[in-house]
Amino acid sequence: MFSLGARVKIAVVGGGPAGLYLSILLKRQDPSHEIAVHERNAAGSTYGWGVTYWAGLLDKLRAGDPESADAVAEASVTWTDGLAIVRDQRTVHRGDAGFGIGRRRMLGLLADRAAELGVELAYERPVTGPDAPELAGADLVVAADGVHSALREAHADHYGTTFTTGRNPYIWLGTSKVFDSFSFAFKETGHGWIWCYAYGFSGERSTCVVECAPATWTGLGLDTMPEGDCLALLEKLFHDLLDGHELIGRDRGTEPAQWLRFRTLTTKNWHRGRTVLLGDAAHTTHYSIGAGTTLALEDALALADALRTGPADPAALDAALTSYGKRRRAELVSAQSAARLSAQWYENLPRYMDLEPDRMFALLGQRHSPLLPYVPPQLYYRIDRAAGRLEALRRLKRWLGPRVARAVHRG
Ligand SMILES: Cc1cc2nc3c(=O)[nH]c(=O)nc-3n(C[C@H](O)[C@H](O)[C@H](O)COP(=O)(O)OP(=O)(O)OC[C@H]3O[C@@H](n4cnc5c(N)ncnc54)[C@H](O)[C@@H]3O)c2cc1C
């Protein structure tokens, strides 16, 4: 068991999924640990709507802490179908079971579980930097303070921080329509395509993420419109998907709507002395693969694992944090590649929009493929269909994909 002294003091900065879940795991590992989570916001106030995850995550969470895993499972909704509306045509695909849970609900469940185990939850407590009084005397400081992490930014060079900003503006909204399938709508306007995807996360609400190219955004006036007008225009564009339901932003007021460009973060080193990065503070992956929360929770599982066996001295802590960072950076490679390819697929959307809707939808499901950007979409679709029937071809495709991607990358 990780132990630097009689009573280990752990300061976690950030009460998002990563910070809360790590505090649960470490407290379970050793109830004598003194663990405090410092969160700048008030309890129950958070950004975002629902988040998606897949069944494999629940198995991992059950191994980490069955109680919180059961609570997350119980509060989640599930779907198997995917629906796409392309212009006015509908197409449906059956897929693997997906899950959605409200971000606020999940944080509430994790916070309750952490408090039950004896973790101190300090809300409305912003930690200003590595020398903040909240961190004094801590044996271990966990920077789980999200993509804008103040603890990481204070030593950005040491952590080897790199940001890449996506091309397309997007907005993360809620809606009162409750979707029972993972649903997309692609609409052609006089200024180019605009699209959204939506999924349920409770019995009353769904998430709706809208995205378009910059020229479409400015052409439609979305860049300058007050939020109220912006939501009204999006409701009109996506009326068949929303069935007349409203979109929900901040307050539908006169302030500009919260359009953003996604920032992909990578870091080379994940710890500095007693401070370690966790979740979005260490890495982000484009929202279109719906994996950031899962990856943050997996970081927490890996860090708790690394701290389980360390002997009682600071050098061992350093070794444990090094091995955690090394393991997670390796495990993240495929998700980071999928996220990059997925973001690019959407940035090249017009390339796929002349296909029949069911073919376009099939290739949307293949957007993580490194081969797809280099093969004409119709041909890729036919190869994929054939590969679906012929396992040998599928293996060839898997073998060829990374080689083509590497060769093109080198070129
Ligand atoms: C549009 C969009 C859609 C997404 N959809 C999905 C999805 O479907 N599935 C999925 O898995 N992921 C999704 N994500 C990603 C997911 O939201 C994040 O990856 C996840 O929240 C990361 O968890 P975290 O705990 O590391 O960071 P965060 O959730 O960002 O938590 C960080 C916490 O730290 C607090 N904090 C920050 N600074 C300080 C400070 N100085 N002092 C104290 N507290 C501080 C913040 O208030 C926050 O509570 C999406 C993201 C976006 C943008």
Side-chain angles (χ1 to χ4, degrees):
M1 179 67 63
F2 161 66
S3 165
L4 292 172
R7 194 171 165 79
V8 175
K9 198 172 162 199
I10 300 169
V12 178
V13 182
L20 288 172
Y21 194 55
L22 180 76
S23 75
I24 292 171
L25 297 173
L26 293 182
K27 196 70 182 168
R28 270 175 59 96
Q29 261 169 228
D30 188 340
S32 77
H33 286 347
E34 195 184 311
I35 306 178
V37 177
H38 304 278
E39 166 56 47
R40 67 179 168 191
N41 290 332
S45 81
T46 186
Y47 68 89
W49 298 89
V51 291
T52 52
Y53 64 91
W54 279 265
L57 177 67
L58 284 178
D59 297 336
K60 291 179 185 167
L61 296 184
R62 280 205 181 91
D65 176 47
E67 284 81 355
S68 53
D70 287 347
V72 166
E74 213 168 291
S76 298
V77 299
T78 184
W79 59 80
T80 47
D81 286 349
L83 164 82
I85 304 176
V86 184
R87 296 187 182 92
D88 296 321
Q89 276 180 276
R90 285 171 185 256
T91 174
V92 175
H93 278 196
R94 281 201 87 75
D96 297 333
F99 299 81
I101 183 168
R103 185 177 150 87
R104 182 172 294 141
R105 185 82 199 279
M106 179 174 56
L107 294 186
L109 296 171
L110 295 179
D112 288 351
R113 176 68 178 144
E116 179 185 278
L117 291 168
V119 173
E120 182 198 341
L121 300 177
Y123 287 100
E124 299 181 73
R125 199 77 64 81
V127 173
T128 50
D131 300 322
E134 292 84 355
L135 312 182
D139 301 295
L140 175 67
V141 173
V142 181
D145 48 348
V147 62
H148 304 293
S149 171
L151 295 185
R152 187 199 64 233
E153 284 301 296
H155 298 286
D157 284 348
H158 169 84
Y159 291 114
T161 302
T162 308
F163 277 108
T164 315
T165 303
R167 191 197 65 175
N168 289 350
Y170 74 91
I171 187 165
W172 197 1
L173 299 168
T175 169
S176 53
K177 165 143 185 187
V178 179
F179 289 91
D180 55 11
S181 56
F182 199 102
S183 303
F184 297 84
F186 297 85
K187 297 291 167 180
E188 196 169 19
T189 74
H191 302 279
W193 289 91
I194 184 164
W195 58 96
C196 74
Y197 66 84
Y199 52 88
F201 65 82
S202 76
E204 289 109 44
R205 291 276 187 273
S206 299
T207 294
C208 187
V209 180
V210 182
E211 183 183 327
C212 59
T216 312
W217 190 53
T218 49
L220 292 173
L222 293 167
D223 55 332
T224 52
M225 248 176 223
E227 186 181 55
D229 297 348
C230 166
L231 297 191
L233 176 59
L234 296 178
E235 283 162 358
K236 204 165 140 202
L237 284 167
F238 297 115
H239 66 96
D240 47 0
L241 181 81
L242 295 168
D243 286 333
H245 282 266
E246 61 166 358
L247 288 170
I248 312 166
R250 279 174 309 175
D251 58 5
R252 295 188 85 101
T254 52
E255 292 292 308
Q258 270 190 313
W259 289 90
L260 296 169
R261 284 187 165 84
F262 191 80
R263 298 176 80 209
T264 297
L265 163 73
T266 55
T267 47
K268 290 201 176 100
N269 298 312
W270 285 29
H271 82 283
R272 182 177 183 277
R274 62 175 184 159
T275 302
V276 62
L277 306 180
L278 190 75
D280 271 17
H283 53 82
T284 60
T285 47
H286 193 257
Y287 54 83
S288 62
I289 64 161
T293 307
T294 293
L295 297 174
L297 296 172
E298 288 175 354
D299 282 357
L301 285 159
L303 181 55
D305 220 27
L307 294 172
R308 196 189 296 275
T309 49
D313 65 77
L317 175 62
D318 191 69
L321 299 184
T322 302
S323 99
Y324 150 73
K326 213 168 150 189
R327 169 179 163 190
R328 285 305 287 155
R329 284 193 297 278
E331 287 173 351
L332 275 165
V333 168
S334 68
Q336 286 169 328
S337 155
R340 212 171 29 248
L341 290 161
S342 176
Q344 280 167 12
W345 193 94
Y346 285 107
E347 290 181 355
N348 292 323
L349 186 93
R351 183 172 190 258
Y352 304 99
M353 298 315 286
D354 288 336
L355 297 171
E356 289 294 303
D358 64 324
R359 294 185 174 201
M360 188 284 294
F361 200 21
L363 293 194
L364 171 63
Q366 295 278 324
R367 66 192 184 282
H368 312 143
S369 157
L371 260 190
L372 182 52
Y374 308 107
V375 177
Q378 287 284 15
L379 177 62
Y380 187 98
Y381 175 80
R382 283 198 292 272
I383 293 174
D384 192 63
R385 282 297 295 263
R389 289 189 290 265
L390 293 168
E391 182 52 26
L393 257 180
R394 196 178 272 284
R395 278 202 299 274
L396 174 69
K397 205 180 76 163
R398 275 203 293 268
W399 179 83
L400 206 56
R403 282 164 180 77
V404 170
R406 272 201 299 274
V408 172
H409 190 68
R410 274 200 300 272

